[in-house]
Amino acid sequence: MATSMKFCFGHFLLKKTSVLSRIANNNCSKSYRLLYNSLKLYSTSRKDGSEDVRIGCASGFWGDTTVAAPQLIHKGNLDFLVFDYLSEITMSLMTAAKTKYPDFGYAPDFVQFGVGPYLKTVKEKGIKVVSNAGGVNPYSCAKAMYSAAQKAGVDIKVAVITGDNLIDKKAQLESQNIRDLDSDKLLPSTVNSMNAYIGAFPIAKALDMGADIVITGRCVDSALVLGPLIHKFKWQPDQFDLLSAGSLAGHLIECGAQATGGIFTDWYKLGLHKTWSSIGFPIVQCQSNGDFIVTKPVDTGGLVSIATVAEQLVYEIGDPKNYILPDVICDFSDVKLTQEKENEVKVCCAKGKSPPNDYKVSATYADGFKATTVAVLAGLNLRAKGLATANGILQRTRTIFEQLGLSDYTQTHIQVIGGLSDDLEESFSNFIRDDDRTELSLFKKKLKGEIPKQAALWIAVEHSQKKALELFAREIAPAGTGMAPGVTGMVGGRPKVSPIFKFFSFLYQKKDVSILIDIDGTQEEYEPWIAQQTEPTSPAQTSDEMPIKPADFSDLDDIDYYQLKDVGYARSGDKGNTVNIGVIARHPDLVPYLNEKLTAEAVGLIFQHLFEDESGHKIENGHKLVKRFYLAGINAFNFVLPSALGGGGVASLRPDPQGKGAAQMLLDEFYLALPKNTMKSIIKETD
């Protein structure tokens, strides 16, 4: 799931080592036994004789709900169950944990809450399990799993896949003038994790060797699903369309409930919130020709529709025609979705081409410290009092720094959340486009009578020395008595100082990475398939090349303004310091209007305030960095906004470091001029 929420739970566990120790050593609790027994009443088994393969995903990040695994085990009718836990930041945190405690460095949830309580049932049902829970210590993860199996009286074979961890090559790589793919910087000396994104074929080989459970370190998330499909259908390394289809199946379910109605645009309109407590987790039912069905267990909450699947398809992708993975370069630009039955969507038509002959390597490195505080503001002049309070705190601490001989902050970020004013740059900047004042008047009309009486003050700071931020943390509370009135509370008390881990990515030749599959001492080395001739990547069609008919504005008297949420669905996500926003038209007839009005520049102008360089300085004309891609198969546009997340992940000082709210802002902020009759007929057809 890329970064998403994965780092949050891992960071908590690293800080609370006593909690981690209890989780790592504790037996399954009574509550999980009760959950197991309650769901067992509804248990199903795979007895239909189908040659299709059913794969369910029970975890989209480290810290996902514990109810997903028993739901899928008992009600999913599965062949394979997969768990996705890792992100770049998770790897860094696991490395730090292993440094302090040699037996740590993996996701203990996988053993204690994911599979451990259900090993007997998993074995009885013949469900194979695949997970990247191994992190930087897959052997310790396997040891813990064997211990759980012994207590449960279950005989299992656990495969461990290693080779992704390249930290031992750090000195060698430093001497090779390795540079970051985006910034062109040299490899920092403070690197603390370095992992290659390996592919699906080692997983398939482990299953071929008879593994019941496969534990990997870092691999691309979608490989957890593609590996079982390669194993089952004997797909070959040069069957690129099939590998692309299997990768798409993995991409759609790797984030858990996001494919089954979670974070869906129309959540309120369709009343999905009433079923969130029992939301179903995703299943793909795959055929040997690459076609598959996305579904969920019966009698569970959520929704599987063309719209929910389309939203997840555009999540965290860049160029849809060149989605680069270690096993294949995928082309999702003409993927087709069909509603087969209620909560069943058929997916087909993914294409693929030869993969690169190198792995992408993601490293993290320490680069200073940060602290964040949030205060509640109440009453009048919210924005003014918030900014004045923040600046007062920063000025006071800067004076202290100067007296102690400490340097200034590396970066600061102040934001009043919910405190509206004439200056909207902080939240929704540059709303006016093409001198269209009607759109601005609509926005102001929407706000009338909705001026908030409470807001939140966000102050985040970065410094090269931990000592400086500890001083900052002590100067927050005094604002409650010595600065603006209505500062009512500091959320979470005195802020904690935490290290900043930043991303560094580079390419490393596959032939130089030794991948080993180990089952109880029986080891086999994986030899990567090397393409004799790699295919050049051609970018997806630009605006000028898109085969879209012109929008019809011939009847000016028939024109009205519509909010983007009435015209399309949208979802946003992150890749490092880049945010993507996918927008799907609610009807094919709306595509020409979106094509003409929802341009890369228009989207960029709305988010102009987000673009910053590595020093935190605004990028002038940053909106011109935005790229737009077209996915004809699902009537969608994907917008890629680089340098828009303040560094991304835990390196960012912003309230939304992963761009999760960007799509919501765009849906709310963007208005389109559309023919009223066209909209009326579409609304009637789609309702």
Side-chain angles (χ1 to χ4, degrees):
M1 186 188 176
T3 50
S4 188
M5 291 293 292
K6 295 179 184 179
F7 69 86
C8 299
F9 191 69
H11 198 199
F12 168 77
L13 289 181
L14 180 60
K15 281 178 169 289
K16 305 293 183 181
T17 52
S18 62
V19 175
L20 181 55
S21 180
R22 287 201 303 273
I23 291 176
N25 296 292
N26 191 26
N27 290 328
C28 304
S29 67
K30 290 182 179 179
S31 61
Y32 290 96
R33 290 295 182 190
L34 290 172
L35 179 63
Y36 172 92
N37 290 330
S38 66
L39 283 171
K40 192 174 180 181
L41 296 172
Y42 305 97
S43 181
T44 61
S45 299
R46 192 77 201 273
K47 298 177 181 178
D48 56 10
S50 171
E51 294 184 2
D52 294 352
V53 175
R54 285 174 64 91
I55 305 174
C57 179
S59 175
F61 63 97
W62 189 7
D64 209 340
T65 177
T66 55
V67 305
Q71 178 199 98
L72 288 167
I73 290 168
H74 291 294
K75 302 174 72 174
N77 200 21
L78 299 181
D79 298 295
F80 297 91
L81 179 64
V82 303
F83 295 77
D84 180 18
Y85 290 104
L86 301 183
S87 71
E88 291 84 354
I89 293 302
T90 308
M91 300 301 289
S92 185
L93 295 171
M94 286 178 168
T95 299
K98 185 183 177 185
T99 300
K100 293 179 70 174
Y101 305 97
D103 289 336
F104 289 175
Y106 66 94
D109 299 40
F110 175 57
V111 180
Q112 295 299 324
F113 311 132
V115 179
Y118 317 109
L119 277 171
K120 196 168 213 177
T121 304
V122 165
K123 183 73 173 180
E124 289 172 353
K125 288 177 174 287
I127 300 171
K128 305 289 187 180
V129 179
V130 181
S131 178
N132 56 16
V136 297
N137 202 350
Y139 276 107
S140 283
C141 185
K143 181 180 177 182
M145 186 62 73
Y146 273 124
S147 177
Q150 185 178 19
K151 290 175 183 176
V154 180
D155 182 26
I156 58 171
K157 289 185 178 180
V158 180
V160 173
I161 298 175
T162 58
D164 63 290
N165 194 342
L166 304 181
I167 195 66
D168 291 340
K169 297 177 180 285
K170 177 182 171 183
Q172 174 190 338
L173 291 167
E174 285 178 337
S175 68
Q176 293 179 2
N177 200 35
I178 296 293
R179 293 184 178 273
D180 182 73
L181 289 173
D182 297 319
S183 69
D184 202 40
K185 283 185 175 181
L186 287 170
L187 186 69
S189 60
T190 56
V191 164
N192 77 327
S193 71
M194 190 185 305
N195 296 81
Y197 287 89
I198 65 174
F201 279 91
I203 294 172
K205 188 163 187 171
L207 293 167
D208 291 344
M209 292 168 64
D212 298 304
I213 298 174
V214 180
I215 297 173
T216 77
R218 196 63 171 118
C219 63
V220 290
D221 299 343
S222 57
L224 300 174
V225 171
L226 178 59
L229 295 177
I230 293 171
H231 159 71
K232 191 72 174 179
F233 296 134
K234 306 305 177 188
W235 290 346
Q236 298 303 306
D238 59 354
Q239 292 181 296
F240 304 131
D241 287 351
L242 295 176
L243 298 179
S244 180
S247 297
L248 178 57
H251 172 74
L252 289 175
I253 71 169
E254 70 190 33
C255 295
Q258 286 188 194
T260 54
I263 68 171
F264 179 49
T265 298
D266 284 354
W267 66 273
Y268 188 77
K269 178 181 178 181
L270 299 180
L272 295 184
H273 55 295
K274 299 174 183 177
T275 72
W276 281 342
S277 62
S278 61
I279 194 166
F281 271 68
I283 298 168
V284 284
Q285 181 165 325
C286 307
Q287 301 175 7
S288 60
N289 68 354
D291 294 352
F292 60 92
I293 297 287
V294 181
T295 186
K296 65 184 183 70
V298 296
D299 299 325
T300 58
L303 174 71
V304 179
S305 68
I306 289 175
T308 65
V309 174
E311 278 197 21
Q312 189 56 24
L313 196 161
V314 298
Y315 180 69
E316 291 186 345
I317 65 170
D319 179 350
K321 205 174 182 66
N322 297 287
Y323 188 69
I324 302 175
L325 296 171
D327 300 312
V328 62
I329 297 177
C330 304
D331 180 356
F332 299 153
S333 63
D334 203 32
V335 166
K336 303 292 193 301
L337 306 178
T338 307
Q339 192 82 44
E340 296 284 286
K341 299 178 183 177
E342 183 180 5
N343 292 314
E344 289 191 10
V345 172
K346 182 178 179 180
V347 183
C348 73
C349 308
K351 299 295 181 182
K353 52 191 171 186
S354 178
N357 286 334
D358 40 41
Y359 290 119
K360 181 180 178 181
V361 179
S362 178
T364 60
Y365 64 96
D367 190 24
F369 301 86
K370 75 171 187 176
T372 302
T373 187
V374 180
V376 178
L377 308 174
L380 303 170
N381 305 316
L382 294 174
R383 178 179 167 81
K385 71 173 57 171
L387 294 179
T389 299
N391 286 322
I393 293 169
L394 294 183
Q395 185 55 53
R396 176 180 288 175
T397 51
R398 282 182 168 123
T399 301
I400 296 173
F401 293 171
E402 187 175 351
Q403 292 170 346
L404 295 177
L406 298 172
S407 61
D408 194 5
Y409 294 106
T410 310
Q411 287 190 63
T412 64
H413 183 83
I414 303 169
Q415 188 167 340
V416 180
I417 303 171
L420 297 175
S421 73
D422 290 336
D423 178 8
L424 298 175
E425 181 180 80
E426 268 192 354
S427 303
F428 301 114
S429 180
N430 293 300
F431 185 77
I432 306 174
R433 295 173 301 283
D434 301 326
D435 294 323
D436 193 334
R437 305 296 169 179
T438 305
E439 297 179 0
L440 181 61
S441 66
L442 282 169
F443 183 50
K444 287 185 175 179
K445 182 179 179 181
K446 181 181 67 173
L447 292 179
K448 188 176 181 180
E450 297 181 12
I451 302 302
K453 301 302 181 184
Q454 287 186 313
L457 170 62
W458 177 282
I459 310 173
V461 293
E462 178 183 326
H463 202 283
S464 59
Q465 293 181 259
K466 186 177 182 179
K467 176 183 177 181
L469 296 191
E470 289 172 340
L471 290 169
F472 162 81
R474 285 197 290 270
E475 292 299 326
I476 303 300
T481 56
M483 295 188 185
V487 179
T488 65
M490 304 297 171
V491 179
R494 181 178 291 180
K496 301 290 192 297
V497 179
S498 57
I500 293 175
F501 294 110
K502 294 185 177 178
F503 307 126
F504 186 98
S505 299
F506 61 96
L507 301 178
Y508 195 68
Q509 294 235 330
K510 289 179 179 176
K511 64 181 181 63
D512 295 328
V513 177
S514 299
I515 297 175
L516 199 67
I517 300 104
D518 187 341
I519 301 181
D520 296 335
T522 300
Q523 298 182 342
E524 288 195 24
E525 190 169 351
Y526 166 69
E527 294 290 338
W529 183 80
I530 303 298
Q532 298 303 309
Q533 183 175 0
T534 57
E535 299 181 46
T537 59
S538 56
Q541 292 164 317
T542 62
S543 303
D544 296 335
E545 299 170 331
M546 293 178 186
I548 300 172
K549 66 181 181 181
D552 182 8
F553 291 105
S554 57
D555 186 358
L556 296 179
D557 293 331
D558 185 42
I559 300 298
D560 200 356
Y561 283 90
Y562 295 88
Q563 220 171 354
L564 183 59
K565 71 178 181 64
D566 299 320
V567 180
Y569 309 94
R571 183 167 296 182
S572 54
D574 67 311
K575 288 288 185 185
N577 196 26
T578 295
V579 62
N580 90 289
I581 308 173
V583 179
I584 306 106
R586 290 181 180 269
H587 192 278
D589 289 350
L590 293 171
V591 171
Y593 300 97
L594 287 171
N595 180 49
E596 185 165 320
K597 292 294 185 180
L598 195 65
T599 63
E601 184 175 14
V603 171
L605 283 171
I606 285 182
F607 296 104
Q608 171 63 42
H609 61 297
L610 295 183
F611 299 103
E612 292 179 351
D613 62 22
E614 292 186 2
S615 301
H617 299 122
K618 299 295 182 184
I619 299 176
E620 187 176 356
N621 295 322
H623 65 279
K624 294 183 178 179
L625 299 173
V626 179
K627 293 182 179 179
R628 182 179 77 164
F629 302 102
Y630 180 44
L631 292 84
I634 59 171
N635 303 309
F637 297 91
N638 188 44
F639 298 87
V640 178
L641 291 70
S643 302
L645 294 176
V650 295
S652 177
L653 301 182
R654 299 178 184 175
D656 185 10
Q658 297 164 315
K660 304 304 182 189
Q664 291 295 299
M665 288 186 179
L666 188 61
L667 287 169
D668 186 52
E669 283 300 293
F670 202 91
Y671 283 78
L672 294 93
L674 296 171
K676 287 183 285 188
N677 287 332
T678 299
M679 279 299 291
K680 285 179 182 177
S681 62
I682 289 173
I683 291 171
K684 185 177 180 180
E685 182 179 338
T686 56
D687 278 353

